Every structure is written in structure tokens, then in C-alpha cells.
Amino acid sequence: ARRHEIPCFREVPNTHTAHAYEVVAKELELLGLPSAAGHSHTFDADALAREEREYELADALLVPSEYSLGTFLERGVPREKLVVHRYGYDGDRFFAPNGGGNSRERPFTAIFVGRCEPRKGLHHALRAWIDSGAAESGRFIVCGAFEPGYRRVLEPLLAHPSVELHGFVADPSAVMRDSDVFVFPSIEEGSALVTYEARACGCVLVVSEAAGARCENGVDGLVHRPGDVATLTKQLRRLAQDRVFLEQLRATALERAHDLSWAAAGKELAGIYAARA
């Protein structure tokens, strides 16, 4: 494309790869876990060199969140080369029950959906859940398959009676519709699709900045810095104790959810292509 002077857009689904390698390696070290050979986030010099060459050759890099954009700026990529786009959700599959939630008719319920691996921050979610006091009468549902070794590290937290392990769930929409909050404290991410989907199902997002979720802290979701378990704990405690605040966040999130569909994302991306062509 460069040789033929054709505008070239390179999608970046996560953060800068060098950043991803570094933060995941640090988290593994803190947990006492080894890096898995061949894993997408285990350091690979050849893969990094190839990706950095692609970053250099592309006319524009499509990054899915402001957090992701920041990791490229830190690595010296010019701001004018970075374009924020976004992902979306399928409204035929992910939708709220009767346009809203029924939080007062069930125990306070939190859900995590994703690959159970250190970079998704499930260990932070479980620690905060138990420390917040929400675990005394609530439910924490975990949907996802575990990476080898990670489950062993989490066993003391997973053993809490409020924690329910559902394993891999092909279509988590029904579970999302029956939950109050979606907890996703990633330490490294692009813009997690499950955050769009959970929001559309009526879950209030409680996420780290690194999750790349489309929400505004205190308006239609709650956001914390990656690894900030103390703040996450306070957020879960407040939502469990203040159902009025929970419903306010949910209502605002659902009002804005239609703007986050795949159809809306496609129109936005078409506009980006037209502006840069």
C-alpha cells in the first residue's frame, strides 16, 4: 500500500505491544506466575519488531480508546498518526430486560466475563468484592475459562461462598441481564467488547481505565486506575449499599447505549476513512 501510495489504516486492538508485554510481565511477577511460552502477551522480539514496522508504515493507527492512545504516545508515536475509533455490540443479542433492571428484586449481583488470566484483573475484582462487604449477601458470577496456574493462585478467593464459577459461557447475555454490575479491572486492554455488551444488558460498568470502556466516571459507570484495588473496593461497597445511585448510573448508561452499537461504530469508522483518504 505504501509503495502504491494507497492510504493505509492499521487497526490496533490493544495497547502498544511493548507496553502490553511490560505490564503483563510485571503482574505475573507480582502473582508469582511464570510467563507462558507462545502466549500473545509473552515477550516476543520478532513479533514486536514486526508490529512496530507496521506501526511505522501505516498512515494512521486506529486505536480503540484514549488509554490505548496514551501508550503509543509514550512510545514516541506522533499524535497526528493516532485515530480513536471504537467497537460496539449486537443489539439483537444484548439488550436490557424491559429497558431496565430489577436490582431491588435480587441480591446485589456482580459479574465478570472474560478469559480468566492475570491481565484481565480477576484477582483484583475478587479481592475488592470480598473486602467491600458486598460478598456478605451478594453474588459474584465468574464466566470464563482459567489459564493454567492462575486458578491455583486464586483458590482462596474463589472459595468464598458468594463466588459462582460458570466456566466458559457461549452467550453470556442472559447472565448479564440478571446482574447489577459488570466488574472488569483489566491492567491491559484495548477496548473490551464485553463492556459494550454488558452495558447494553443493563449492567453498570465498574472498570479500570485500561479496559477502554465507553463510560464516564460517576455518570454512567465507575472507573478506577489499573491495580487500584482500594478504589474498586469503595466503588463496589457504594453500589451494594446505595441502590438509588446504582439505578441512576444504569438509567444514564442505557439512555446512551444506542450510540455504542456496531451500526453506529461502522458509520463512525466510515467517516474516519473518508476524512483520511
Side-chain angles (χ1 to χ4, degrees), residues 85-201:
H85 76 122
R86 62 179 174 81
Y87 301 128
Y89 70 91
D90 180 353
D92 291 332
R93 291 179 56 204
F94 298 95
F95 51 87
N98 301 317
N102 300 300
S103 67
R104 297 183 186 277
E105 300 176 8
R106 61 176 172 242
F108 180 68
T109 304
I111 184 174
F112 171 96
V113 178
R115 178 74 178 169
C116 297
E117 60 181 357
R119 64 181 283 260
K120 301 292 185 181
L122 178 57
H123 50 296
H124 296 317
L126 290 166
R127 181 76 275 161
W129 170 256
I130 294 172
D131 290 349
S132 71
E136 295 176 9
S137 58
R139 303 166 64 207
F140 190 100
I141 300 171
V142 179
C143 299
F146 279 82
E147 282 198 349
Y150 187 50
R151 179 165 181 164
R152 174 181 52 78
V153 171
L154 296 188
E155 280 298 344
L157 299 173
L158 296 173
H160 193 280
S162 67
V163 178
E164 302 175 16
L165 302 181
H166 287 211
F168 174 77
V169 177
D171 182 5
S173 61
V175 187
M176 290 176 173
R177 279 190 284 274
D178 198 33
S179 301
D180 295 303
V181 299
F182 181 79
V183 188
F184 211 67
S186 295
I187 62 165
E188 189 281 324
E189 196 84 42
S191 185
L193 294 181
V194 287
T195 61
Y196 296 81
E197 296 165 351
R199 174 176 176 155
C201 289

Side-chain angles (χ1 to χ4, degrees), residues 37-88:
H39 190 280
S40 61
H41 284 66
T42 296
F43 180 78
D44 183 324
D46 292 337
L48 178 59
R50 182 175 64 253
E51 294 214 353
E52 289 185 328
R53 180 61 173 157
E54 292 174 357
Y55 298 160
E56 177 186 351
L57 288 173
D59 293 294
L61 298 177
L62 296 169
V63 293
S65 69
E66 292 292 340
Y67 189 88
S68 177
L69 182 147
T71 67
F72 281 83
L73 294 178
E74 291 171 357
R75 302 284 167 172
V77 177
R79 177 61 183 86
E80 59 271 17
K81 193 169 191 173
L82 300 167
V83 182
V84 178
H85 76 122
R86 62 179 174 81
Y87 301 128

Side-chain angles (χ1 to χ4, degrees), residues 7 38 88 93 138 174 192 202 204 208-209 212 231 252 256 268 273 277:
R93 291 179 56 204
V204 172
S208 73
E209 294 171 343
T231 296
T252 304
R256 302 178 177 183
E268 182 178 309
Y273 287 155

